[in-house]
Amino acid sequence: MKESHRSMERLLSAMNYEKHKWLTCGGLKVVGLILGFQECYTMYPCFLCLWDSRADDQHYVKEWPPKQGLKPGSYNVVYHPLVEPSKILFPTLHIKLSLMKNCVKALDSECGGLAFLHQKFQRKSIVKIKAGIFDDPQIRKLIKNTSFDDALSPNELSAWCSLKSVFENFPGNHGSAQYQKVVDELMENFLQFGARMSVKMHFLQSHLDYFPENCGDFTEEQGHSDELLNSFERQRSQLMTSIKSVVYLTQRHIRYFLKKNLLKSSLLISHN
C-alpha cells in the first residue's frame, strides 16, 4: 500500500476509527499524512503553529502564531484532516533521536568527537555517523561513556551535557518538574553550538505542554522495540554466519567425495 493520504483514509475506515476515536501515535511523516499535509518538504510542518522551516535565522524563536485550524489550501494543508490534532501523540523517542542527529551533525570534523564515535561504533558506517543516525540503545551507551566528553570541544561539551540532561528528564512518567528550564538551557547551548533546528526540536521547545503526562509509556515501548530489533539483527547475523559455514563445509565434503569416487573409478578402469 502506497504511503498517501488516501491510503491512510482507507486504513482508518477499515479500522472504524470514527466510532472509536483513538489517540494516534506516530512519526512526523504519518502525522502529516493523516492531518492532510502535502508530502515531502513543507514550509509549515507544525500542526500547532506557523513555525517556518525555511527561516533558519528565526528557528530558535520560541513564540510563533498558532494555527487557526487545518484548512485545505492554506499553510501546506491539501486534504481534510482524518484525525483531530488533539488526538495526536508525538512519541518523545522521535524527538530524542532528532536531537541526537542534530547534535552529531554539528560536531566539528576537525575535533575528536566524530573520530571517537567512529571508533566506538565500528560496525556503523562513517556516513551514518556523520548523519547522526543512532538508535536509543546506542545513545544510552554513549551517555554512560565519559570518554566521549573528553573528546569534545568546550562548546560541544556544553551542548552534549545539556542534551544528556534532556534525555535523563524526558517528559512523561519519569519527567522532571523543572523540565522547561532544562529544555531552555539545551536550546541556548544548541544555538551557541551551531546546531540546526528541526521541527521535532521545535515541538519540544515551543509545545512542551502538548505532551501528555504518560507520553513516557510510548517512548519506553519504542525503546524496547529498538532493543528487540537490534537483538534480532544480531541473532540473524550469527545465524547467517553459521549457515554459510555449514554450506562451505558441505560443499567441501561433496567435492572431496566426488574426487575420491572419480579416482576410484579411474583406477578400476585402468585395472580392467
Side-chain angles (χ1 to χ4, degrees):
M1 181 181 290
K2 182 181 178 181
E3 293 182 344
S4 65
H5 182 269
R6 177 57 181 164
S7 298
M8 290 295 173
E9 185 177 18
R10 291 170 59 188
L11 180 62
L12 292 176
S13 176
M15 296 167 58
N16 201 10
Y17 177 81
E18 287 298 322
K19 176 182 179 181
H20 302 285
K21 297 287 186 179
W22 297 297
L23 293 174
T24 305
C25 180
L28 188 62
K29 183 177 182 179
V30 174
V31 169
L33 290 175
I34 63 178
L35 290 181
F37 281 86
Q38 71 179 53
E39 299 181 28
C40 302
Y41 187 72
T42 59
M43 188 173 180
Y44 301 102
C46 180
F47 60 87
L48 296 174
C49 71
L50 297 177
W51 183 77
D52 189 346
S53 63
R54 301 176 186 176
D56 290 350
D57 58 335
Q58 302 179 38
H59 275 179
Y60 282 91
V61 175
K62 188 174 180 180
E63 299 295 335
W64 291 83
K67 274 188 177 177
Q68 303 298 328
L70 300 176
K71 299 178 181 179
S74 64
Y75 301 113
N76 300 125
V77 179
V78 293
Y79 303 105
H80 290 285
L82 303 176
V83 175
E84 291 293 330
S86 59
K87 296 291 184 179
I88 296 294
L89 288 177
F90 201 61
T92 52
L93 177 61
H94 287 210
I95 297 177
K96 183 176 182 179
L97 299 181
S98 179
L99 289 171
M100 184 66 184
K101 179 179 181 179
N102 288 23
C103 180
V104 173
K105 289 176 71 174
L107 291 176
D108 188 352
S109 59
E110 301 298 328
C111 294
L114 286 175
F116 178 88
L117 292 174
H118 185 55
Q119 182 180 6
K120 175 68 176 177
F121 304 102
Q122 296 183 5
R123 293 187 176 182
K124 185 182 289 290
S125 68
I126 188 65
V127 176
K128 286 188 175 182
I129 290 176
K130 288 184 177 180
I133 300 175
F134 294 87
D135 57 30
D136 192 53
Q138 290 171 336
I139 294 175
R140 286 196 295 243
K141 288 181 182 178
L142 198 59
I143 289 175
K144 296 177 182 178
N145 194 323
T146 57
S147 299
F148 182 55
D149 298 4
D150 300 332
L152 300 175
S153 66
N155 283 341
E156 291 173 345
L157 181 59
S158 297
W160 174 242
C161 289
S162 296
L163 188 59
K164 289 194 292 184
S165 181
V166 167
F167 288 165
E168 293 168 357
N169 297 282
F170 249 119
N173 297 338
H174 311 292
S176 169
Q178 302 296 324
Y179 195 67
Q180 183 65 65
K181 181 180 179 181
V182 175
V183 171
D184 291 341
E185 290 178 355
L186 171 70
M187 296 304 166
E188 182 179 351
N189 286 327
F190 263 37
L191 178 61
Q192 299 297 325
F193 175 40
R196 194 173 185 276
M197 174 74 74
S198 67
V199 63
K200 296 174 185 177
M201 291 171 57
H202 163 72
F203 269 96
L204 188 64
Q205 180 194 32
S206 301
H207 305 296
L208 188 60
D209 56 346
Y210 181 80
F211 295 95
E213 294 181 357
N214 65 334
C215 67
D217 289 340
F218 302 97
T219 300
E220 291 175 2
E221 180 180 348
Q222 289 202 335
H224 293 322
S225 297
D226 282 344
E227 290 179 351
L228 290 174
L229 287 173
N230 287 336
S231 176
F232 173 76
E233 182 62 27
R234 286 193 298 269
Q235 293 176 10
R236 188 190 68 84
S237 178
Q238 294 172 359
L239 178 61
M240 290 302 297
T241 302
S242 300
I243 291 175
K244 288 179 180 179
S245 299
V246 171
V247 170
Y248 171 75
L249 291 174
T250 302
Q251 291 176 342
R252 185 176 178 183
H253 281 85
I254 290 174
R255 286 195 299 267
Y256 172 76
F257 284 113
L258 287 176
K259 185 176 180 181
K260 186 176 179 180
N261 291 334
L262 182 61
L263 181 60
K264 285 183 177 181
S265 298
S266 300
L267 290 175
L268 288 173
I269 294 172
S270 299
H271 180 71
N272 292 334

